[in-house]
Each structure stands twice: as structure tokens, then as C-alpha cells.
Amino acid sequence: MTIETPPAAVDKFARAFEKLSSDKSTSPEWIKSLREKAWSAFSNLGLPTKRRGNELWKYTNLRPLADLEFSYGSSGSVTAEQIKCAGPWDDAWDTLVVVDGKFSSELSSLNGTTGLRATSLASAIESSEGDVESQLASLAGKEEYAFTALSTAFVDDGAYVSLGDGSELEQPVHVIFVTSGASESRAVYPRLLMNAGVGSSMTLIETHLNLADTPQFSAPVIEILQDGGSAIRHYRVQMENEASFHIGTTRVSQQGDTDFTSTSFAVGAQIARNDVHTLLDAPGANCTLHGLYMTNGSQHQDQEISTTHAKPGGSSDQFYKGILSGKSHAVFSGKVIVMRNAQKSDANQKDLNLLLSRGAEIDAKPSLEIYADDITASHGATAGHVDRDTLFYLQSRGVDEETAKAILVRGFAEEMLNEFEPPTLFDFVERVTDERIPVLLAESDTIGTA
Amino acid sequence: MLEIKNLHASVVDVEDSEILRGIDLKVSKGEVHAIMGPNGSGKSTLANVLMGRPDYEVTDGDVLFEDKSIIEMAPDARAHLGMFLAFQYPAEIPGVRPWQFLKSALDSKAEARGEDKMSVRNFSKLFDEKVEAVGINPNLVKRSLNEGFSGGEKKRNEMLQLEVLQPSLAILDETDSGLDVDALRIVAEGVNSMRSPERSFIVVTHYQRLLNYITPDVVHILVKGKIVKTGGPELALEVEKDGYKEYFAAAGADA
């Protein structure tokens, strides 16, 4: 892989790295060494750019990010009211709030739930709590990937969630990553490190919010380690402002007989990437990676979804739906690798897109890399417009054209919205969708015309 | 109620695609007209042109509904006037529940007519009553509109919508195709129960079968885009016995 490094971009990050290193000179040795190694990896890699041979970034141009000037001021201030207005909130949930990359104990709302350890990642790092030293950056940070290297170089704070063996939580744990309002642009690298003990189960919600209207850069990294027999129902809501850059990375490793079921809802950012990898590391691990993305204007949304079947008898189901309007661009890059001994695996990939305008573009490339001979697999991708016959059907019943279009777009999103089980969360994504559809339709030009 | 005058229609943007070649037809209040014809006669096209399907364009003539020309109107505006088309192949619409969709349809109609919208409570009551009346499986209407419905279920669902929307002119486009006798009876019962001096029907069909259950006031034979014969219910029986062959000559030498 050939990667060009725009020197200005690395310089900017270098100054910040020097500052962090001097601010954090008393951190435990293991974390200082982790940061140094990651920085050295990033400074060799640089920001990825769109050029021949760089398949991972073929469709996503990061030049606007490379050109952005960041400031490295302290965290801004955010009120509880602002957070409750901007994103989903439920008092019954255990909520951890991370503002500009820093855990906020004032804004977090923890209910002392039995079996759950939920705290600031900074304190877990400083006290080398539990298995933090061996787990942090064990899934994300060692690979040759610029943004996990960058995040690990700046690893400092975020949320730490540990679920005890056999604990089954009734209410979701919600982690909110929020960027405060600011006139200058910030770069933030929040992290969530989470482990689920043997036979445990819980619902995890992550929400990415942005209270600024200026361009911000957020590169959150989520690492989830699942012990045998555990089950996680995961939701991800991404609502950054439309000037911002969001490069999210999720890495999950699953032991035997685990379930990781995830649904993402992505509507925000100028350039957004949702990079998810699940490693089915023991027999009988199952993952479901679903999501809905909606784009308009000049937004760019990139879903980089991959699963490695390392052991036999696992299943993976990747299913994404996109609604695109204006001159927006979306990418679905789904990859499933079935290793040689991962017999009896089942892998399915699907990406369905509804294009509402001529200027919108989708690049969908589902791919299967199979080295085992006894597996079942399927993959497919489609891009279509709202069907004229269907539109006529609705209109013939008296529904006006605009409402009919909205009904059809909403109908397309419905099955993904229905996956959001916690009622408060469902109401939130439903409301955002219903507000978004007229915006998408205002930039639409391909339906209802001859 | 409905007056069709020298109606000519073609497929949009396709040259020499004229399908309706001069249709004259008058439907008075409370009448049931059957339009019969062989495949390719244009009977389905007529039903769709009346409702304003954008695939067709009217090239000559006019259609008056309650003395107003409707040929420039959007399909939803025609529905607001009281017209309804039961589709031969109802669209499958994933993610859209019949309840929601019918409420939107009624709301749009009320809004266009400057009437009050029906409350959710009253609508739910009406909807449940009609679901029972039409004999549609209540679990089915909780699913996506027509998705995974059998042919018979789709037609029952068309009847459900007809019952809820209560149009003054209902056009049934080969509603009988693909139905077994039981389903056919349900469609016919639906139509018969809705017959009233204020409501008219146009029943488009290939076979006489449906007309065993719905007795029309007038029967028209449509061949090659023209009405070649008009008569009473006995005309349907003649067609059943002798077929359409003898009518081709009447449709013109170019047919």
C-alpha cells in the first residue's frame, strides 16, 4: 500500500503530540510507551489519501481534513440540558458523557447498577485498573491503520465499561461523545474500552453529538472484548454537524457462543467513516452488523464493515440501507473473511440504496474472501429510485405526491428503525428520520418524473 | 357523473402507440358499467387513464367528472373528487402499514376538501370494522402494504381501501383476475354492499365470471381501443358463449 503523507497534516499532529507528552509525563510507563509506539506508526503512515493502490480509501477523499487547522485548547463547556436536547436520553439508563474527549463525571448519570463498572478511561489508565493495560489498544492500535494509530498516540480519556461475569443488565448503558460549541476547530480522540464477562449480557448505546457549527474532527475508537457466552446489543447514533469530520473505528473480539448485534444510525458529518471489524475468535460466535445511513447536500458517508471468521460454526450478517439525496456520496465496503478452519460458517452481506437525486452516488462493494470449503454465504447490493408505479398507487388513493414520496422513503427506512428496541431510542431515531426526510426530498429530482 | 368524450390516449414518449382510439361513454349516478374486451383491447389502459396514470397521455378528447374536466389533474386530485381505482396488480410497499397509509389518504382528502380530519380513535374504529367486513386477516394489515400478500389477499386489501375511502366512482381494473371463487365472491359482495343511488362503478373484466356475482346495468365491448357494442347484462353472456372474434371487424380494418 502506498500512502502519501501531507507534511502539513503530520506537523499539526506532531505539535499536539509533544504537548500531550509533556502534560502527561507522570502517566504509567506502559501507556507512555503505547503512545510513543503509536505515534511513530502514525508519523510513518500519515493521513491516508485517495490514490491508486489505496483500496481502503479509494472512494473517500480526506484532503479537506488534511487542510483543516486544529486548535488544542482545553475542553469547552456543555450543559446537561444541551445534551438532553441534542441526543437520546433516559434517566433509567447508565449514561457516561465524554466531552471533547474528556470524561465528565458531572454530566454522567450512573445508577450504581450491580455488576457494572463504568468510569472514566483516564482514571482506569492512571490506576492501571483491571485488565486495562492488556486490553487497551489490543484490538485497535496495533494494525497498520492511520486513524487507530493516531487515536492511540493521543489516548488519554473516554469511557471504561466492564461487565462482570454472569451480569445481565436490564437497562442500557449509554456512552455519549459530544463535541462542545466552539469557534475554533478541535481534534478529539475519545475512546471506549469495554469488556463483557462470561455469560453476561447488556445493551450498549453510543451517541456521537456535536454542539458546534464549525468544522470539528472526531476520531472515536471503540474496543469491545466479549468473553464466552456473552451477548451485547449495540446501537450507534452518529449526528455530527455537517461541517465536521467523523472517523469512527469499532473493533470487537468475540469468544465462543457470543452474540454481538449492532445497528447503526448515521446522518451526520461532512465526511464520516464508520469502520467496524468483528473478529469471531472462537467457535459459535455470531455477529449482526446492520445500519441505516442518510445523506444529502455534499455529505460523504463511508461504511467500512468487516468480519473475520477465525473459528468454525460462526455467523455474520451485514445489512445496510442508505438513502441518498443532493450531491451526496456514500460508500458501503463490506468484507467477510472466512479462514481455512472456520468450517460451517454462515456469512451474509447486503447493501440496499435508495437514490433520490441524479447527483447522489453510491459505491457499494460487498466482498467475500473464503478459504474454507464447507460454508454458506451470500452477498448483494442494489441502488434504486422510488418506483413510479408505487407512487401512482399511493396518489390514486388521494395521497399527494410529496406525502406519497415521504411515505415511501419512510417505508424504506422502517425495518432498520424497528431494530432500535429501547423505546426512548426508537422515538429519537424515528423523530430524526421524520425531520430528515423532507430535507432529503427537497434535494430530490429523480422520482415522480417521466 | 362521468362522461368520456372521444378519448384518445397513447403511451408517453412512444410514437404510434395510440391505445385508446376515440372512446365515448357516459356513466350516470348509481350505475354499474362493465367494460369487457380481449387482451390488448385497451380496457386496462382506459381504467388507468381515467385515474391519471403518468405513463399515458391523452392526445384528444376529454373526460368530465361531475361536469369538470379532469384530464389535467394529478391522480390524488381525482381521488379527492371521489374517484377510486382498484388495481389489477396492487403495488407492494415495504415498510408502509395499511392503517397508516389509509389514514394519510383520508387526511389528504379531508384537507383538499376543506373538511375536518377524522380523529385517530374514530379512524381506528372504522378501520377495524372494515377489516372485519372485508374478511381480511387482521394480522395481515399489520404488515407492510401488500408485501408477501397472496393474489387474493391483495384484492381483499383493495376492497378494504374501497370500503374505507367510500368513493363516488369506483373503477375496478380486472379485480377478478387470479381469484378463486371464494375471493371472487368477497369482491362481489364488497361491490354489491356498496352499490347505492349515489355511487357508480366501472368494472373492467376479461371474463363474464365476475358478472355472475355483480349484475351490471350496462355492458360495453371494447376492442382495439374502441367501444364496438353496448348492451345490457345479456351482452356479457353472449361474449362468454361466442368470444370476441366477431367484434374485431367492427373495430375497423386497421385493427
Side-chain angles (χ1 to χ4, degrees), chain A residues 14 31 42 51 58 69 73 93 101 127 170 197 206 224 255 312 332 339 354 369 374 378 380-381 392 418 429 437-438:
Chain A
I31 189 84
F42 174 72
R51 55 178 288 173
K58 189 173 167 187
E69 284 302 324
W93 301 348
S127 63
E170 278 174 27
E206 43 165 308
I224 298 173
Q255 295 308 308
F332 170 79
M339 315 264 274
L354 185 59
E369 227 178 277
D374 182 16
S378 72
F392 172 60
N418 284 343
V429 293
I437 288 171

Side-chain angles (χ1 to χ4, degrees), chain A residues 1 3 47-51 53-62 65 143-148 188 206 208 216-222 234 236-241 244-251 264-277 292-295 299-306 320 329-335 363 365:
Chain A
M1 191 190 300
I3 293 170
L47 283 186
T49 55
K50 184 180 173 179
R51 55 178 288 173
N54 190 0
E55 273 299 314
L56 278 176
W57 295 92
K58 189 173 167 187
Y59 302 107
T60 298
N61 183 4
L62 290 174
L65 174 61
E143 72 254 77
E144 292 287 291
Y145 180 52
F147 286 100
T148 50
V188 295
E206 43 165 308
H208 302 268
Q216 305 292 331
F217 169 47
S218 176
V221 171
I222 316 299
H234 171 254
R236 182 180 211 274
V237 176
Q238 190 273 100
M239 304 187 48
E240 305 273 7
N241 77 40
S244 289
F245 303 90
H246 177 96
I247 309 289
T249 305
T250 304
R251 297 287 179 261
S264 128
F265 178 82
V267 294
Q270 176 192 156
I271 294 177
R273 187 169 168 101
N274 178 30
D275 185 320
V276 181
H277 178 252
L292 174 69
Y293 45 92
M294 288 186 271
T295 58
Q299 280 185 298
H300 180 102
Q301 284 262 4
D302 181 349
Q303 311 290 332
E304 190 77 29
I305 310 301
S306 59
Y320 284 73
H329 185 192
V331 180
F332 170 79
S333 179
K335 193 171 194 180
D363 288 296
K365 37 166 206 172

Side-chain angles (χ1 to χ4, degrees), chain A residues 154-413:
Chain A
F154 287 91
V155 63
D156 173 29
D157 202 356
Y160 173 68
V161 174
S162 178
L163 187 62
D165 289 352
S167 296
E168 296 180 3
L169 302 192
E170 278 174 27
Q171 291 291 337
V173 172
H174 184 201
V175 184
I176 301 176
F177 299 99
V178 57
T179 304
S180 64
S183 53
E184 75 271 28
S185 298
R186 282 199 184 88
V188 295
Y189 312 97
R191 291 184 84 114
L192 166 64
L193 175 64
M194 158 159 188
N195 53 66
V198 175
S200 63
S201 71
M202 69 176 280
T203 295
L204 173 69
I205 303 167
E206 43 165 308
T207 300
H208 302 268
L209 299 173
N210 194 323
L211 302 175
D213 50 13
T214 45
Q216 305 292 331
F217 169 47
S218 176
V221 171
I222 316 299
E223 291 176 283
I224 298 173
L225 295 93
Q226 280 189 260
D227 286 340
S230 63
I232 295 178
R233 184 68 182 94
H234 171 254
Y235 301 98
R236 182 180 211 274
V237 176
Q238 190 273 100
M239 304 187 48
E240 305 273 7
N241 77 40
E242 287 176 30
S244 289
F245 303 90
H246 177 96
I247 309 289
T249 305
T250 304
R251 297 287 179 261
V252 183
S253 94
Q254 297 182 240
Q255 295 308 308
D257 302 314
T258 51
D259 289 316
F260 181 72
T261 308
S262 175
T263 310
S264 128
F265 178 82
V267 294
Q270 176 192 156
I271 294 177
R273 187 169 168 101
N274 178 30
D275 185 320
V276 181
H277 178 252
T278 50
L279 171 64
L280 309 185
D281 210 12
N286 308 303
C287 74
T288 303
L289 306 173
H290 289 186
L292 174 69
Y293 45 92
M294 288 186 271
T295 58
N296 67 297
S298 57
Q299 280 185 298
H300 180 102
Q301 284 262 4
D302 181 349
Q303 311 290 332
E304 190 77 29
I305 310 301
S306 59
T307 298
T308 303
H309 290 254
K311 296 282 157 37
S315 71
S316 64
D317 176 31
Q318 303 177 354
F319 178 25
Y320 284 73
K321 279 187 139 181
I323 306 171
L324 287 68
S325 193
K327 291 188 165 62
S328 64
H329 185 192
V331 180
F332 170 79
S333 179
K335 193 171 194 180
V336 174
I337 300 167
V338 184
M339 315 264 274
R340 255 182 83 178
N341 66 344
Q343 301 292 4
K344 307 280 181 200
S345 290
D346 180 40
N348 298 290
Q349 285 181 305
K350 192 160 60 168
D351 179 48
L352 308 181
N353 294 279
L354 185 59
L355 298 177
L356 299 177
S357 64
R358 289 180 183 84
E361 193 185 334
I362 171 76
D363 288 296
K365 37 166 206 172
S367 70
L368 298 166
E369 227 178 277
I370 296 169
Y371 302 101
D373 52 20
D374 182 16
I375 68 142
T376 53
S378 72
H379 71 158
T382 64
H385 304 291
V386 166
D387 181 52
R388 278 178 58 194
D389 289 345
T390 310
L391 197 60
F392 172 60
Y393 182 75
L394 294 182
Q395 279 188 272
S396 79
R397 300 297 192 249
V399 180
D400 65 88
E401 189 175 343
E402 279 309 300
T403 308
K405 286 175 185 173
I407 287 175
L408 294 177
V409 174
R410 179 66 163 70
F412 183 81

